[in-house]
Structure formats: structure tokens, C-alpha cells
Amino acid sequence: MTETNNIHAVTEGPEGDDTKCSFHHRMFLEPQKKKSNVKALLLKQAKKTCSCTPAKMKDCILGFFPILQWLPKYNLREDLLGDVMSGVIVGVLLVPQSIAYSLLAGLEPIYGLYTSFFSCIIYCIFGTSRHISVSIFGVVCLMVGQVVDREVERAGFDPDPAVFSALPAPGGDGNVTGNGTTPLCDKGCYAMAVAATMTFISGVYQVAMGFFQVGFVSVYLSDSLLSGFVTGASITVLTSQVKYLLGLDIPRSGGVGSLITTWINIFSNIHRTNICDLITSFLCFLVLVPAKELNERFKSKLKAPVPVELFVVVAATLASHFGKLRETYGSSISGHIPTGFLPPRPPDWSLIPNVALDAIPIAIIGFAITVSLSEMFAKKHGYSVRANQEMYAIGFCNIIPAFFHCFTTSAALAKTLVKESTGCRTQMSGLVTSLVILLVLLVIAPLFFSLQKCVLAVITIVNLRGALRKFRDLPKMWHLSRVDTVIWGVTMAATALVSTEIGLLVGVCFSMLCVIFRTQRPEAPLLGWVAESETYESLSAYKNLQTKPGVVVFRFEAPLYYINKECFKSSLYKQTEVNPEWVKAAKKKAEKRMLREKEGGSGDKQSSIPVGLGLEAVGFHTIVIDCCAVQFLDTAGIRTLKEVCKDYGDIGVQVLLAQCNPSVRSSLLRGEFFKEGEDHLLFHSVHQAVDFALGTQGASKN
């Protein structure tokens, strides 16, 4: 059936005109004709996409390389000071964190510095956000580290965490064989090969997401889900760092239940705690935690946060070097960090089958956090970012550095907040940060030889405070939305207790189930009239509402489709207190009893059974269904509406639909909801439908 102009809504007639019964004015709606020539549409789109003009080429290049747009317009007088200040401060903070997070990823400290250096430069070229800081991120480092440990163990290397390899010899190609046993690549080199390969694959996934414009995937990662995931991963990160705080030499646990396994190993070996590492960890906590709190409390008064982490690293390195803590007490130290850059090396293509699946959640988390942060800060500062270009940017921040001994990166909230609060104006701030890291790589890096690993672990744990503080916000979250709180809790527990990848999958599935459940059992109230208005609201939510005699107004607050069709019918029957099937069954039963009594000779006697259970027994003559919250109908929903109209019609009750959106109207027409030759009465408001019902009932009595 095609849509025609016989869809119309009945409006009120002239006041006091009882003979018209509210039929006086009719508003006809003729649907727009939709273009159904798919071939023509495809040809038009293909022509538009494939056309190549100088102007389009210029726009394409400028869009793909945003630096070509903002750099020529760069205002030295207004922007340079803020960019230099924020870039230097973020660089100073990033140096100790890069070294610390390398430990979390199961790699050597130099690789964290490489990663931060290249990611800052590449995002400056491809990124559209002026404020986000793209570098190492604790949760992503944890996910990388879990895969690295698994593959290193598979390759037959000693899982003992104390056994770190030398870096590939400068000038050597550092290629890896299938089992990682070549003289040029020992454990540390093989671990980096695994991380670089997974980083490359993650970047390819992210660029592919940008190319195919699948940024919509991020809508399935709600704020509560991401928050729960980050908090659960932070608990896992904290657990993985405890052994360094205590100076324990235990293997790193991975896979399902690694959190519990790690704690069991810690308590089993706690008698071997290194007292020197324990005291150092305590002293570092004693300095870092209060200093971080003071930085946050007085951030409005400070022009820049105090780089207390750098001070702690310098002091701890000097104390370890001159106190000979490694030789005297056996403290675990960072070891040799070379200056300069290692020769580029391609990823190990033979490892792709091993890490391809692991790269999927890393890619999704990386782009989701990057896009959400870039949009948040762009909205705050009044400019726009392009989500697909952000996916290109973060993808290239992983693809290109994968050839330079780097691991996976994404935007990081803590460093982004520092960058914004210290006066960042443009992407130039990222270039300044990379220059600070370059200075460390070329000159300062070897000075961190004696830095204890427990100090790096303390820095990592202290930076988890923001995620762990979410537990403090649970009462407020519960008050705002219980569903979001449950999603947060389930995602957090699955991420911490099972694994990060499974936790993310569980969170997504549970969130979708919550959405389905909320549409499966939606609110379905009866509505009452607000006096002296045309408004109808829920009788269960508001007081002093009135009802019209003989008319029941019912609202179903969800789409009507196969999942909730039975809920729709049961809610309607429950609210109206009339099940038409039961009424019809009772009428048939009464009629049979009356027939038997007549046949038995009692036809002249007054029967105690009512002649018909009609309108007097039902109590109303019209049901108005408010469809304002019904976004769509499927075939099961249309069939359900037909059944409801027929069943109530059989007992003398008419069913009217009000406030249907165009999608619902179109579905009703295509589903042949209206009988042939019948007026398609669809009301634009509940008030119109109620007046129509009262008018028709009055006319029938007359």
C-alpha cells in the first residue's frame, strides 16, 4: 500500500457545535515522496566521491594535514608563550611517567621515551584538537604488557622479570626469528618486537575505522562503561606494581584471573620483601601524595603545577647512586638507558596472527578515549574537531612509531588537564613537549641508570588516584542513575577480576542488555488531564489530575517491537483493568448459561446473570494510546496494535492513536493497520483524540 494524502488528523469543531461532533476541521497531511531510485543515488554519490578538482584536492590535503591550516595562521604574540609554557611543563612531567609506564608495559625505559617523543610530533601534524595530550596511557600500557608477557613466555624466554636484555646493537637490524632466539634479539628486543607489531596493527585498525567512518562504534562505550573499565584496569595496574614496591622477584601473571593470582604470589613471597625498596616506596608516597593534593588544591593560584615527580626521580636516583643501594641491599634498578635513537625496524610480520585479536580492544579503547577527550575540550573552548580525523591521527600515532621501537599510545586525561591549565593554545605545545623529551633522549637519559624500579612503581600508582576516586562518587552516581551505576560496577569487576579485554566486552554486552531490558519493561502509565490546558500527564506522577468520563488515556514509553509486545498488552490490560479476552469469554459463558436456563423452562424468570457484559461492565468506551514515546514499530508491534484494536472493538471499546511520529505513521500504512476505505484517523495530540471520543459518544447517544 502506498502512502497517500488520506492520513489526516481531526481537530476540534466550533465551540458548542454538538452536531458536528468535532469533525468540522480536518487537517490533511500528504507525505513527501521519497527517492527510491537506488541506482541513481549510488551513481550520484560515486560521482561526488570520485570527482577530482583542484579545489577538492586542496580541501582534501588541508583536511588530512590540519597542521597546514593552523600553522600559517599561528599568532606568535598571542599563542607562543602559552604553548611553550604548557609544552615544557607537560614534557617535564612526561619524562618520569614515560620511564615508569615502560615498566608497566613490560619494556625497557628508553622505549617509553621514544613513544612519547614520536606521538607528540605526529599528533601535532594530524590532530585537530588543540588541547589533548597524546602519549602513554596507563590502561593501554597494561593491555600491551599483558600481551607482551604472554608472547615472551610463548617464545621460551625466562619469565623472571629481573632478566632484562640488552638493546639491539646500534646499526644492527634487530630482526626477530619466529622463536626470538637470534643473537641480535634477546628477551627485551623480542618484547619490543611484540609491542611494536601490536601497535602497528592497532594503528591500522584505527585508520580503517576513520576511513570507513565507523566512529559510531564509540556510542556503545558510554561514560559509565569507560569509567568502570578504567577503574577496573587501574586496580589491575596497582596490583601489578605492588611487587616492585616490595622488591619481590615474582613472575607477572596474565590471562583470566591474573589479579587474584598476583595477590596470591605476593602473599606467598612477602617474607622475601626487600626492606630498602619498601622504605624507599614509603618515602616516595610520603612526598608524592601530599604534593599532588596540594597541586590540585591550589591549581587556580599556581601558574604551573610543581613537577614533584621529577624532583623525586632526581633525588631517588642520586640517593641510589651514592648510597650504592643495588650493591648493598640488592635493590632493582632501571639499568642502562642509552642516548640517541636506535635504527628503525619494521614490525615482525610473523607475529601478526598472534596479536591481531589483542589489538582490537586496544584500538577501540585508544580511539574512544581520544575522541571523547578531544570533543570535550573542543566544546569547552569553543572550536570543533573532526572525529574521523582524530581516528586518523591516533592511528598514525601508532603506525609510524611502530617502526621506531614504540608502543601503543592514546590521549591521557591527566596530562591533558595539565596542558590546558598551563596555557596551551594550539597543537604547537606538543612540539615543545617533544623537544623536552628529545633533550632527555640525547643527553640526560643515562643519568637514570641507578633509579630504583620501586620509585617508578610509586609514580604509576600515584597517577591512578583519579580513577580510583570513582569509588567515592558511587553514592552520587547511584542517586543520579542506578542503571549507570550497575553498568559501572559490572564493567569494573569484570575488568579487574577476569581480564581487561573480557571486561570491556562484558561491559558493552551488559550495557546493551540494560538498554534492551529498559525497553522490554518500560513505564506504561495512565494519563490525566491538567485542568485549563490541553496537557495530559501521568496519574501516578502528579496530583490533582482529572480524567474524562468513559475515556482512558494510556502511554507506552518505549518503541513497540517484538521484545516488548507482550509487555505492551499486559500493561494495557493491567492499567485499564479490562482484558478483552476475559470479557468475551465471560460473555460467551453467560450466554450459554442463559440458553440452558431458557431450554430448562426458566425463560420467564429474571436471570441473575447480566444479559451482556458490555460498556456498563467495562466502564469506558474509548482507549486513547499516546504514542509520543514510541519511536518505531516493527511487524510484531503493528500486529499487536491490530490485535488490541480488534479485541477491544469486539467488546464495544474503540482504540485511538495520538501523537504518532512520521515513522510510526508510515509503518502503520505499510502494515495495513487501517482497513480499506476507512478514514485514517491519527490525532496530533491526546487532547484532540479525547475530544473526538467524547463527541462521537455523545452523537451515538443522540
Side-chain angles (χ1 to χ4, degrees):
M1 178 183 292
T2 59
E3 296 184 31
T4 61
N5 61 352
N6 59 353
I7 298 181
H8 55 274
V10 181
T11 60
E12 291 184 74
E15 187 175 353
D17 188 358
D18 295 331
T19 60
K20 295 293 182 181
C21 302
S22 298
F23 283 101
H24 189 68
H25 294 294
R26 296 193 178 193
M27 181 167 55
F28 291 83
L29 294 176
E30 184 174 1
Q32 292 278 2
K33 292 183 179 180
K34 296 182 179 180
K35 297 179 181 179
S36 57
N37 192 338
V38 178
K39 182 179 179 181
L41 289 174
L42 289 176
L43 287 174
K44 182 179 178 181
Q45 186 63 31
K47 184 178 180 181
K48 180 181 177 181
T49 304
C50 299
S51 63
C52 183
T53 63
K56 190 170 183 180
M57 283 289 293
K58 180 183 176 182
D59 291 341
C60 183
I61 293 173
L62 292 177
F64 194 71
F65 298 100
I67 191 173
L68 299 178
Q69 290 181 309
W70 62 263
L71 188 58
K73 302 175 184 177
Y74 191 78
N75 191 319
L76 290 173
R77 180 176 297 178
E78 294 183 5
D79 300 336
L80 185 62
L81 180 60
D83 285 340
V84 170
M85 180 180 291
S86 64
V88 169
I89 293 169
V90 172
V92 169
L93 295 176
L94 201 52
V95 169
Q97 291 184 21
S98 298
I99 298 173
Y101 285 173
S102 298
L103 194 69
L104 182 60
L107 303 168
E108 298 183 21
I110 189 68
Y111 297 134
L113 295 171
Y114 288 162
T115 301
S116 297
F117 172 75
F118 284 105
S119 61
C120 288
I121 293 177
I122 295 170
Y123 185 81
C124 180
I125 297 172
F126 293 99
T128 58
S129 174
R130 303 171 191 171
H131 293 89
I132 67 169
S133 174
V134 174
S135 57
I136 50 178
F137 181 50
V139 173
V140 174
C141 290
L142 171 70
M143 299 172 76
V144 170
Q146 290 173 338
V147 179
V148 166
D149 288 345
R150 184 194 69 203
E151 293 302 316
V152 165
E153 189 173 353
R154 279 183 182 177
F157 288 104
D158 187 351
D160 186 349
V163 179
F164 278 96
S165 66
L167 294 168
D173 58 5
N175 289 333
V176 187
T177 61
N179 59 7
T181 59
T182 62
L184 291 176
C185 195
D186 52 12
K187 179 183 174 182
C189 175
Y190 186 75
M192 188 62 243
V194 174
T197 304
M198 187 165 57
T199 298
F200 178 82
I201 297 300
S202 298
V204 170
Y205 289 155
Q206 289 164 338
V207 170
M209 290 176 186
F211 182 79
F212 291 108
Q213 299 186 356
V214 292
F216 67 88
V217 174
S218 62
V219 303
Y220 296 104
L221 305 177
S222 64
D223 291 342
S224 56
L225 186 152
L226 280 176
S227 176
F229 174 78
V230 171
T231 302
S234 298
I235 295 172
T236 306
V237 171
L238 186 151
T239 300
S240 70
Q241 299 301 296
V242 170
K243 64 180 181 181
Y244 297 113
L245 302 181
L246 304 177
L248 297 178
D249 199 12
I250 57 177
R252 182 171 176 172
S253 300
V256 176
S258 59
L259 183 91
I260 298 173
T261 306
T262 301
W263 281 109
I264 291 173
N265 289 336
I266 289 171
F267 284 111
S268 300
N269 295 274
I270 200 167
H271 59 280
R272 296 192 294 172
T273 298
N274 187 302
I275 301 300
C276 178
D277 284 344
L278 180 61
I279 294 173
T280 303
S281 301
F282 177 75
L283 293 175
C284 290
F285 274 120
L286 208 59
V287 174
L288 281 173
V289 174
K292 286 278 190 178
E293 293 295 330
L294 290 173
N295 265 340
E296 288 189 11
R297 181 168 297 184
F298 297 105
K299 63 182 179 181
S300 60
K301 298 180 180 180
L302 294 171
K303 291 185 178 180
V306 179
V308 63
E309 292 170 329
L310 187 63
F311 295 154
V312 167
V313 165
V314 171
T317 303
L318 293 174
S320 176
H321 176 73
F322 291 107
K324 300 187 182 299
L325 300 185
R326 180 189 184 191
E327 294 80 1
T328 307
Y329 301 103
S331 292
S332 180
I333 62 173
S334 298
H336 175 60
I337 304 177
T339 56
F341 292 90
L342 294 172
R345 185 183 70 191
D348 185 354
W349 312 118
S350 65
L351 289 172
I352 290 178
N354 296 359
V355 300
L357 286 178
D358 299 293
I360 294 175
I362 293 176
I364 293 175
I365 287 296
F367 97 77
I369 291 175
T370 301
V371 170
S372 60
L373 284 180
S374 62
E375 290 179 344
M376 180 175 72
F377 283 92
K379 183 178 180 180
K380 181 177 180 181
H381 291 276
Y383 63 94
S384 61
V385 294
R386 288 177 285 128
N388 282 324
Q389 181 62 30
E390 287 298 297
M391 284 192 280
Y392 284 133
I394 195 63
F396 286 119
C397 282
N398 288 321
I399 290 176
I400 298 173
F403 292 85
F404 295 93
H405 311 276
C406 301
F407 53 91
T408 315
T409 59
S410 76
L413 176 60
K415 290 181 279 294
T416 300
L417 289 172
V418 171
K419 189 174 180 179
E420 180 212 24
S421 63
T422 51
C424 173
R425 301 295 298 270
T426 69
Q427 293 94 317
M428 181 66 73
S429 175
L431 288 178
V432 178
T433 299
S434 65
L435 291 177
V436 174
I437 299 172
L438 179 63
L439 178 65
V440 174
L441 282 168
L442 296 179
V443 180
I444 304 173
L447 301 180
F448 295 117
F449 175 86
S450 299
L451 179 61
Q452 292 167 270
K453 289 181 180 178
C454 63
V455 178
L456 300 177
V458 170
I459 292 173
T460 300
I461 292 173
V462 169
N463 282 294
L464 299 175
R465 291 174 310 122
L468 297 176
R469 279 178 179 166
K470 292 295 182 181
F471 287 102
R472 196 170 60 185
D473 298 334
L474 282 180
K476 183 179 179 181
M477 191 188 303
W478 179 262
H479 179 71
L480 290 174
S481 174
R482 295 184 179 184
V483 174
D484 283 348
T485 308
V486 173
I487 292 172
W488 184 93
V490 169
T491 306
M492 183 274 298
T495 302
L497 299 177
V498 185
S499 72
T500 50
E501 296 85 355
I502 295 177
L504 179 63
L505 181 62
V506 168
V508 171
C509 293
F510 187 75
S511 296
M512 296 177 73
L513 285 175
C514 286
V515 172
I516 293 172
F517 181 76
R518 292 172 82 173
T519 60
Q520 184 179 1
R521 306 292 300 179
E523 294 290 328
L526 292 182
L527 306 185
W529 175 55
V530 180
E532 300 181 359
S533 74
E534 296 184 359
T535 304
Y536 283 75
E537 289 293 346
S538 171
L539 288 168
S540 60
Y542 300 99
K543 299 179 180 179
N544 302 322
L545 298 180
Q546 302 176 17
T547 56
K548 298 288 186 177
V551 180
V552 174
V553 184
F554 173 79
R555 176 189 292 160
F556 191 68
E557 299 181 351
L560 181 54
Y561 63 125
Y562 71 97
I563 287 179
N564 60 15
K565 60 185 179 66
E566 292 301 325
C567 175
F568 172 81
K569 294 175 73 172
S570 61
S571 299
L572 181 60
Y573 297 161
K574 180 180 178 181
Q575 292 285 27
T576 59
E577 298 181 351
V578 173
N579 186 327
E581 295 293 336
W582 294 354
V583 173
K584 287 190 287 185
K587 287 177 67 176
K588 288 182 180 179
K589 186 175 181 181
E591 289 170 357
K592 288 181 180 179
R593 292 186 62 181
M594 290 178 63
L595 184 61
R596 286 198 302 269
E597 289 178 1
K598 286 181 180 180
E599 292 175 352
S602 59
D604 296 333
K605 297 180 180 180
Q606 189 71 24
S607 174
S608 61
I609 300 173
V611 175
L613 295 172
L615 294 179
E616 293 78 9
V618 172
F620 53 87
H621 54 77
T622 303
I623 296 175
V624 177
I625 299 178
D626 181 4
C627 299
C628 67
V630 180
Q631 293 96 340
F632 64 86
L633 297 171
D634 68 353
T635 53
I638 297 170
R639 187 167 59 249
T640 300
L641 284 177
K642 287 181 178 179
E643 292 172 358
V644 165
C645 292
K646 180 181 181 302
D647 291 343
Y648 276 107
D650 290 343
I651 62 172
V653 177
Q654 67 173 339
V655 178
L656 304 177
L657 304 182
Q659 301 196 95
C660 299
N661 63 41
S663 172
V664 171
R665 295 176 196 164
S666 177
S667 297
L668 292 173
L669 275 177
R670 292 195 306 269
E672 299 180 353
F673 177 78
F674 302 101
K675 295 178 182 178
E676 189 172 352
E678 181 183 63
D679 277 347
H680 301 176
L681 299 178
L682 295 174
F683 298 88
H684 282 278
S685 72
V686 173
H687 187 72
Q688 292 174 352
V690 172
D691 280 356
F692 174 80
L694 294 175
T696 53
Q697 185 64 20
S700 64
K701 288 182 179 180
N702 293 332

